Amino acid sequence: MVSRRADIPARDVEMQEWLESMESLLRADGPERAKAIFRAVQKYLADENVILEDATLNTPYRNTIPLEQQPAYPGNIELETRIENILRWNAMAMVLRAYDSGTGVGGHIGTYASAATMMEVGLNHFFRNCGDDYGGDLISIQAHASPGVYARAYLEGRLTHGQLENFRRELQSGGGLSSYPHPRNMPEFWQSPSASMGLSTPSCIYQARFAKYLERRGLKPANGGKVWSFIGDGEADEPEVLGTINIAAREQLDNLIMVVNCNLQRLDGPVRGNGKIIQELERSFRGASWNVIKVIWSGEWDKLFAIDHEGVMQDRMEEAVDGDYQMYSVSSGQEVRDHWVGTNEKLAEIMRVLSDEEIRCIRRGGHDHKKIYAAFERAVNHRGAPTVILIKTIKGYGMQGYEGSNAVHQKKNLNADERIETARRLGIPISDAEAAEAQFYRPDDDSEEIQYLKARRDALNGPWPRRTVSCPALTAPGLDVFKAQTEGSGDREISTTMAFVRMLAKLLDHPELGKYIVPIVPDEARTFGMEALFRKAGIYSSEGQKYRPVDSSTLMPYREAEDGQILQEGICEAGAMASFLSAGTAYAIHGVPTIPFYVFYSIFGFQRVGDMIWSCGDMLARGFLLGGTSGRTTLNGEGLQHEDGHSQIIANTVPNLLSYDPAFAYELAVIIREGIRRMYERQENVFYYITIHNENYAMPAMPDGVGDGIIRGMYCYRRSAQPVKNGRKAHLFGSAAIMTEVLRASEILEGLGVPSDVWSVTSYNELSREALDVERRNLLASGESEAVPYVQDLLKPEQGVFVAASDYMKALPLSIARWIPGPYVVLGTDGYGLSESRPDLRAYFEVNAEFIAYAALASLVECGRVDKSDLETAADTFGIDRAKPNPATSGPAG
Ligand SMILES: Cc1ncc(C[n+]2csc(CCOP(=O)(O)OP(=O)(O)O)c2C)c(N)n1
Ligand SMILES: [Mg+2]
């Protein structure tokens, strides 16, 4: 007789019989056969249009791995618990001492308290560093658990007492510790940043994928290495998390293990008070074809499951919501029993096995070493799909009086009695007075704890975290590689985007650099004219190409290949950025100097995935970001959601990002060559943002002696041949495609007898950064230094008026205003874009040649060099409407 479930009525004989047959099948032929038959039944029903909508997405609310499949634990749990308690204490002490210092620098206790056991099981038994025969694991943790990581490094003797003392005080003598994992600030310690919730998921997914890409392309040995990604359950609400899990399954990333710390709480309160976050996440991940492992209950529950023959306890587990479970974590055993059992006599009977005190203390799976070990072991051995482990814990576990409370996330202080009580409970052998001061505790080097801890890490190739960079330097190519660009295009009109694509093709062909180039596109290759590269370099696909592409007979087929070089990310800028981050950090993670070129619609860069660009800076990524179709008026027709006139401004907010807005192909060539030299030859931790455009014009040959100016941000492109009369002289600054307007404006002015020099500004950002740096040095030298900023020095000999025209907001040219030696008018494209032709857009935004010439004349009028009547005449000739509303604040509708 089949063990009868309570929810099946006794009189439903038919259902009982079906279940009995299933049971005998299972017992006789095993689970695989049972599954096959069940699937056949399900398929039959589907063929009859009877769909079991929720048939397989959720499994019961219990551990995925049953007791009988649980492996033996290979470590010493008693000793590991002792070590864990010391870590818990020191992690808490760091935050408490930071609190006591009165500096208000903050810190978190609750997250690590809930995550400690899973992290310790990983660190003692799984997380393996790179070794002779192993590629090395990349582990990303919940940022707020960082105190526990520091506490461990302290026990290992890798961090000093002083550094712990200076948690969150990085400027203190002897060094401090950053709040969260920040490779930028602790480059020998942290490998990957995670403090901006949600971003570590795409980062880890694409790191796992990029490792496979490197293996398939023969750039890295296929010697394993897992990516472990720990996130919070609240964090899983960030769209980047569930938004990127499909690709991991599609790419069969069995080198990826995500662990969600399901303590059922986020910062303010429950994650899903009225539901179950674990079941919800299970559905999402299973729906995306991940291997899902749930760790919900500790070993103490196993004896209850063993007597739950009718599934009454299981039913109650399914019924209770997270809000109930959270309430249980703060309640007495009696209260839990009463609420849990209610009027259910059968359940009351089962629960009688435990005393009230045992009920109060009964643990969740996330605090049971054996349950965690079983899950981790199964995950590392799973093949063909990524694994997510959903682990149920209590937030602030062990913080008596606070665990599970809604306020626990923000808890930064305990009173003296609570500290002493905590130290006692954790078995920390320090005096009451020391406990009240939250003194750190470190056992002797030859103690059992330290010996064990070190031995375990030695067996796993050394301590974690550790960031070591061992990557060969590349030699930057000579500028002659880009001869086609430096020689100019003759009469042929091309855009900087076309010039870039040709340069990219050249680099792909380069004998030494070629294999390291990683072109990345988010479904925009055709927009940028890159489709010819599909055939040449191939699109990376872990499955190769199982179909004959529709355009196979053309010159530019859509070619996917297992060793394809292009990363075609589809319409997913977050994913593409994560690929850029992976390729840009491969020098540190894998010792492979890949050079990413990520080309995207410039408006969907900073304002769409700016936070990821920020974390590229944190993770010391290298490579080239190319903002295509850039310029508010150069991308005509596309309208306000596409026309970018501000990304250069935002780019300046990323301190180690160099940004350029070049006008000519040769400028682009000089900048890219210099970028390769700095990032891959000199191995500097900078990266590049370059805007490119789709306006075609004849690209001039590179004049002599302008290389340095291009890199520094500005040089004189064309001097006027006319002599200066009555101080009538204009200097026109142009960048990118607006240079065409500036050149035309210069001709207009020349025709009016106003000599004008044309200056190409490749980077206002570089100019202003350098100038501010020089100014600061002079300030500190209190008159001893007379260093002059580059831009000031360059323009010092010049007289006349200065007019800058940019396809970006006026703030960009304005950023160098203080170093201009005369009247300075800035023209730019403040305001929303709109759908129009290029000439009409430029007239509307007041950056066309006529307006530039008008602005120069107006400035000369102010200086008394030109008569006002001449300006009036010019305004009429140029068609300047002086009653026109300001485009910065109006639109086509007025
Ligand atoms: C993008 C972003 N938004 C908000 C925060 C602030 N924040 C830090 S931790 C946290 C709650 C985290 O909850 P959960 O992910 O469940 O982790 P737990 O601490 O519960 O383990 C919040 C809102 C952040 N760091 N990043
Ligand atoms: Mg949480």
Side-chain angles (χ1 to χ4, degrees):
M1 163 74 184
V2 68
S3 45
R4 198 179 68 77
R5 287 195 44 96
D7 53 356
I8 299 172
R11 58 193 142 69
D12 194 340
V13 178
E14 188 183 33
M15 194 175 285
Q16 288 294 338
E17 283 176 2
W18 270 87
L19 280 179
E20 276 173 30
S21 352
M22 255 314 184
E23 181 173 53
S24 52
L25 176 71
L26 189 59
R27 301 279 171 262
D29 299 337
E32 288 312 313
R33 180 74 186 145
K35 272 196 234 176
I37 291 190
F38 184 75
R39 273 199 205 105
V41 173
Q42 195 182 349
K43 181 168 181 314
Y44 168 79
L45 287 176
D47 286 345
E48 295 295 314
N49 296 318
V50 180
I51 307 296
L52 295 174
E53 296 85 356
D54 53 356
T56 56
L57 288 184
N58 266 132
T59 61
Y61 194 62
R62 62 171 178 247
N63 298 343
T64 304
I65 302 171
L67 181 61
E68 57 274 18
Q69 290 173 23
Q70 190 174 301
Y73 194 76
N76 179 338
I77 291 184
E78 191 270 325
L79 188 50
E80 287 183 19
T81 307
R82 251 160 49 209
I83 295 169
E84 194 179 303
N85 285 344
I86 299 171
L87 295 176
R88 286 172 186 278
W89 171 257
N90 284 337
M92 188 183 311
M94 286 171 66
V95 179
L96 296 176
R97 292 184 70 76
Y99 180 88
D100 292 348
S101 74
T103 51
V105 293
H108 297 87
I109 303 173
T111 304
Y112 179 67
S114 67
T117 310
M118 62 180 91
M119 286 174 66
E120 281 305 294
V121 171
L123 281 160
N124 285 321
H125 304 287
F126 291 95
F127 305 161
R128 183 182 294 274
N129 287 339
C130 166
D132 290 343
D133 55 353
Y134 189 68
D137 296 340
L138 175 68
I139 297 133
S140 168
I141 60 150
Q142 282 182 275
H144 293 69
S146 63
V149 178
Y150 291 138
R152 194 170 220 275
Y154 171 62
L155 290 199
E156 290 169 337
R158 297 198 299 138
L159 292 179
T160 63
H161 185 280
Q163 283 172 298
L164 251 61
E165 202 74 85
N166 289 326
F167 172 54
R168 290 186 167 227
R169 302 202 62 199
E170 299 178 68
L171 296 177
Q172 299 309 296
S173 70
L177 302 172
S178 65
S179 50
Y180 304 120
H182 292 302
R184 168 148 292 279
N185 291 6
M186 295 178 67
E188 281 155 22
F189 196 82
W190 293 115
Q191 272 189 304
S192 60
S194 56
S196 180
M197 312 246 107
L199 300 190
S200 69
T201 299
S203 296
C204 288
I205 290 175
Y206 285 79
Q207 283 285 2
R209 173 163 170 261
F210 195 71
K212 297 226 176 201
Y213 166 94
L214 289 178
E215 287 174 6
R216 291 244 162 73
R217 292 198 46 229
L219 293 173
K220 165 189 179 296
N223 57 357
K226 303 272 181 197
V227 178
W228 290 83
S229 169
F230 287 76
I231 67 164
D233 49 357
E235 181 173 1
D237 280 341
E238 290 285 4
E240 289 88 349
V241 175
L242 295 183
T244 52
I245 61 174
N246 280 309
I247 187 173
R250 213 158 56 229
E251 299 275 325
Q252 303 182 352
L253 299 180
D254 49 15
N255 56 343
L256 173 68
I257 299 164
M258 266 186 85
V259 183
V260 189
N261 175 7
C262 298
N263 53 28
L264 316 185
Q265 290 177 243
R266 41 181 163 73
L267 194 151
D268 284 341
V271 177
R272 293 286 184 278
N274 293 319
K276 283 200 186 66
I277 186 64
I278 291 180
Q279 298 301 86
E280 185 180 321
L281 289 174
E282 176 183 40
R283 285 194 293 278
S284 298
F285 279 94
R286 283 173 73 90
S289 301
W290 282 53
N291 175 39
V292 181
I293 302 174
K294 295 191 290 192
V295 179
I296 299 183
W297 309 112
S298 69
E300 293 95 53
W301 290 88
D302 286 330
K303 61 183 173 202
L304 301 176
F305 277 112
I307 55 172
D308 184 30
H309 303 299
E310 295 183 25
V312 278
M313 185 176 73
Q314 186 67 57
D315 286 347
R316 183 68 183 103
M317 286 171 168
E318 308 292 340
E319 180 193 62
V321 291
D322 284 354
D324 295 328
Y325 286 116
Q326 188 188 348
M327 197 265 287
Y328 295 154
S329 66
V330 301
S331 306
S332 71
Q334 171 75 48
E335 286 165 338
V336 175
R337 186 192 300 276
D338 290 349
H339 189 273
W340 178 250
V341 165
T343 56
N344 189 329
E345 266 314 309
K346 288 179 180 169
L347 184 56
E349 183 64 30
I350 293 172
M351 297 310 291
R352 259 194 275 282
V353 172
L354 300 181
S355 70
D356 283 353
E357 182 56 12
E358 283 171 326
I359 286 187
R360 191 184 66 78
C361 296
I362 195 163
R363 294 174 304 162
R364 294 179 181 175
H367 306 299
D368 183 328
H369 293 74
K370 292 181 183 171
K371 300 292 179 197
I372 295 171
Y373 182 87
F376 283 9
E377 196 231 25
R378 185 170 284 192
V380 294
N381 291 314
H382 190 77
R383 294 289 167 266
T387 294
V388 63
I389 308 175
L390 306 171
I391 305 189
K392 186 168 172 171
T393 60
I394 289 182
K395 190 149 180 171
Y397 186 65
M399 292 169 69
Q400 215 144 31
Y402 300 100
E403 62 180 18
S405 73
N406 278 337
V408 69
H409 188 90
Q410 299 294 67
K411 189 75 198 159
K412 299 171 195 325
N413 188 27
L414 299 180
N415 65 34
D417 288 344
E418 289 168 333
R419 293 174 184 202
I420 295 166
E421 148 68 17
T422 305
R424 294 295 151 262
R425 207 160 18 84
L426 293 173
I428 307 299
I430 54 177
S431 69
D432 283 2
E434 288 167 328
E437 285 178 2
Q439 293 285 0
F440 300 123
Y441 169 64
R442 184 174 187 279
D444 292 339
D445 274 341
D446 52 7
S447 65
E448 219 184 340
E449 290 92 341
I450 302 289
Q451 291 295 318
Y452 184 87
L453 185 111
K454 287 192 170 166
R456 288 312 312 145
R457 285 314 309 168
D458 283 350
L460 293 163
N461 295 339
W464 176 88
R466 188 176 66 183
R467 182 179 181 275
T468 45
V469 178
S470 161
C471 184
L474 300 174
T475 308
L479 200 53
D480 53 337
V481 171
F482 302 131
K483 219 157 98 193
Q485 286 70 43
T486 55
E487 285 181 347
S489 65
D491 289 341
R492 260 205 81 201
E493 298 197 334
I494 65 165
S495 64
T496 46
T497 305
M498 285 160 80
F500 163 72
V501 175
R502 283 179 199 162
M503 290 171 66
L504 188 60
K506 265 275 175 220
L507 286 172
L508 286 164
D509 281 339
H510 192 276
E512 278 89 44
L513 299 180
K515 61 176 185 258
Y516 295 121
I517 306 294
V518 183
I520 304 170
V521 279
D523 198 35
E524 294 289 355
R526 289 179 204 280
T527 309
F528 306 122
M530 292 170 70
E531 60 270 37
L533 297 183
F534 291 164
R535 179 194 204 117
K536 181 184 173 64
I539 296 165
Y540 172 72
S541 159
S542 55
E543 298 178 296
Q545 192 160 38
K546 295 176 178 164
Y547 61 96
R548 192 163 72 90
V550 64
D551 51 8
S552 60
S553 58
T554 67
L555 277 176
M556 298 182 218
Y558 195 84
R559 185 173 80 84
E560 301 193 60
E562 264 193 64
D563 62 352
Q565 197 160 351
I566 300 170
L567 290 174
Q568 162 62 270
E569 304 295 0
I571 311 168
C572 181
E573 280 79 10
M577 267 316 299
S579 272
F580 177 83
L581 182 64
S582 306
T585 54
Y587 74 93
I589 307 287
H590 304 290
V592 183
T594 39
I595 310 176
F597 285 88
Y598 170 36
V599 200
F600 51 97
Y601 252 105
S602 73
I603 207 163
F604 303 130
F606 286 87
Q607 71 181 33
R608 179 81 183 214
V609 285
D611 205 3
M612 292 215 55
I613 298 176
W614 186 256
S615 67
C616 288
D618 190 347
M619 201 167 165
L620 310 168
R622 298 170 186 164
F624 295 93
L625 296 169
L626 289 125
T629 56
S630 156
R632 187 102 67 206
T633 67
T634 304
L635 178 60
N636 54 357
E638 287 285 271
L640 73 83
Q641 195 89 61
H642 284 71
E643 291 162 353
D644 166 38
H646 46 284
S647 66
Q648 283 287 346
I649 309 260
I650 317 177
N652 200 26
T653 61
V654 182
N656 62 330
L657 180 70
L658 285 83
S659 41
Y660 288 91
D661 191 29
F664 301 126
Y666 67 80
E667 295 178 352
L668 193 58
V670 169
I671 295 161
I672 289 182
R673 195 208 93 87
E674 173 67 0
I676 295 177
R677 191 185 71 82
R678 286 188 63 178
M679 295 185 286
Y680 295 91
E681 189 172 302
R682 293 184 48 191
Q683 308 214 358
E684 288 182 47
N685 289 322
V686 294
F687 62 131
Y688 280 68
Y689 177 57
I690 307 173
T691 36
I692 51 178
H693 317 86
N694 60 2
E695 181 172 353
N696 295 332
Y697 42 89
M699 291 291 163
M702 180 169 165
D704 285 339
V706 298
D708 184 54
I710 292 172
I711 292 165
R712 302 182 79 169
M714 183 177 192
Y715 64 93
C716 186
Y717 172 69
R718 193 169 80 186
R719 289 277 179 198
S720 168
Q722 279 194 48
V724 179
K725 289 192 209 122
N726 304 330
R728 286 182 173 198
K729 171 84 192 240
H731 298 273
L732 308 182
F733 302 173
S735 311
I738 291 298
M739 182 57 99
T740 57
E741 302 291 336
V742 166
L743 288 169
R744 205 156 60 77
S746 155
E747 275 150 30
I748 295 173
L749 289 170
E750 296 270 331
L752 294 173
V754 178
S756 56
D757 294 352
V758 174
W759 301 76
S760 178
V761 182
T762 50
S763 176
Y764 285 102
N765 289 336
E766 280 303 290
L767 291 177
S768 71
R769 282 179 181 186
E770 190 264 355
L772 288 169
D773 180 52
V774 171
E775 263 199 356
R776 178 188 165 275
R777 274 189 277 130
N778 289 346
L779 187 76
L780 291 172
S782 55
E784 296 293 305
S785 160
E786 287 171 12
V788 179
Y790 169 75
V791 56
Q792 188 176 359
D793 195 42
L794 185 70
L795 297 174
K796 199 158 49 185
E798 311 300 337
Q799 283 170 0
V801 298
F802 298 79
V803 180
S806 161
D807 221 358
Y808 280 87
M809 293 172 69
K810 292 176 182 172
L812 194 64
L814 209 52
S815 65
I816 59 164
R818 57 195 286 108
W819 303 286
I820 307 293
Y824 185 42
V825 182
V826 293
L827 305 177
T829 56
D830 299 45
Y832 285 113
L834 50 89
S835 302
E836 252 308 345
S837 68
R838 200 172 279 148
D840 284 347
L841 275 174
R842 288 188 179 159
Y844 172 80
F845 277 105
E846 301 161 5
V847 290
N848 61 356
E850 288 74 15
F851 206 93
I852 297 168
Y854 171 81
L857 288 176
S859 190
L860 285 166
V861 168
E862 277 222 351
C863 309
R865 305 293 183 186
V866 167
D867 287 344
K868 202 154 180 232
S869 58
D870 291 345
L871 180 66
E872 303 294 326
T873 316
D876 287 345
T877 325
F878 299 161
I880 308 283
D881 171 8
R882 283 187 273 180
K884 180 173 165 281
N886 184 354
T889 48
S890 69

